[in-house]
Amino acid sequence: MLEIRSLNAWYGESHVLHGVDMDIPAGKVVSLLGRNGAGKTTTMRAIMGLMGKTQGAINYGGVNLLKLRPDQIARKGIAICPEDRGIFPSLTVSENLFLPPIVAQGGMDIERIYALFPNIKERASSRGTQLSGGEQQMLAIARILRTGARLLLLDEPTEGLAPVIVQQIARTIREIKQLGYTIILVEQNAHFVEGLADIHYLMENGAIIDRLEGAEFATNIGRVDKLLAV
Ligand code: ATP
């Protein structure tokens, strides 16, 4: 379980998170929804130890992650798939997969990764630049599974992808969940997370404004869509 308590964060003098509270139970998929600038990425950066000034607590395994360095947090088995996916364009798919160090025990071996991502296996010797957006997203997820992380932060994995690819990503996330991983899904697409996430948090202006589960989310999806509309 990851618990975020009264999290405040600043970029320089600019105060962007105002008392965020979230619970991410082990083995669940939790969505964090909000429009551009709501503070979703900043929340993920705080979990990874990448924000300068913070207040509050992010408790995980009995420690407050806000007191740790990014490398110590990575060794606790937490990894992020950033919004830009972070693929090295001039390296091949397999080089991209082998580049990050294994930081925690239980990293997925390459055979399992290729079984989970058959299209990545087919493209093993292609360069990052030759991959489609969907393949890049799959590779970015595969890469963090290899590191041994058990808590995965996926920042807008469906951004810019065609609906059929979005469905593939949803299937992959379900498979990963079944393997016992915990996933935080930052999204602006409410329909993608409906039925995929167990718990949904809505964020606006750097604070959580609502928490919805299952059927409750489905009933409120019109309101959620309005919140996310630019
Ligand atoms: P997006 O989908 O655009 O990434 P988001 O919900 O993830 O949206 P954040 O990126 O967390 O939002 O941004 C929260 C606030 O912090 C916004 O007002 C944004 O302008 C501001 N912000 C983000 N990055 C920086 C930065 N490096 N320096 C200063 N302010 C920033």
Side-chain angles (χ1 to χ4, degrees), residues 74-75 79 96-104 107 143-149:
R75 277 199 290 276
N96 265 283
L97 273 176
F98 281 99
L99 200 64
I102 306 241
V103 290
R143 193 167 61 174
I144 61 173
L145 289 171
R146 225 188 77 73
T147 66

Side-chain angles (χ1 to χ4, degrees), residues 22 29-33 183-186 193 197 199-201 217:
M22 290 176 73
V29 178
V30 175
S31 83
L32 178 59
L33 294 157
I183 298 169
I184 305 181
L185 207 46
V186 167
V193 298
I199 302 165
H200 306 270
Y201 283 95
F217 184 76

Side-chain angles (χ1 to χ4, degrees), residues 58-70:
I58 301 180
N59 300 315
Y60 187 70
V63 293
N64 180 359
L65 299 182
L66 294 181
K67 307 219 178 297
L68 301 186
R69 296 189 309 266

Side-chain angles (χ1 to χ4, degrees), residues 11-12 14 16-17 34-43 45 83 155-156 159 186 188 203 206:
Y11 289 104
S14 173
V16 297
L17 295 185
R35 65 167 76 113
N36 281 340
K40 308 179 299 295
T41 298
T42 305
T43 306
R45 288 175 55 88
E83 206 172 342
D155 198 347
E156 301 203 27
E159 197 184 12
V186 167
Q188 295 197 46
M203 183 170 241

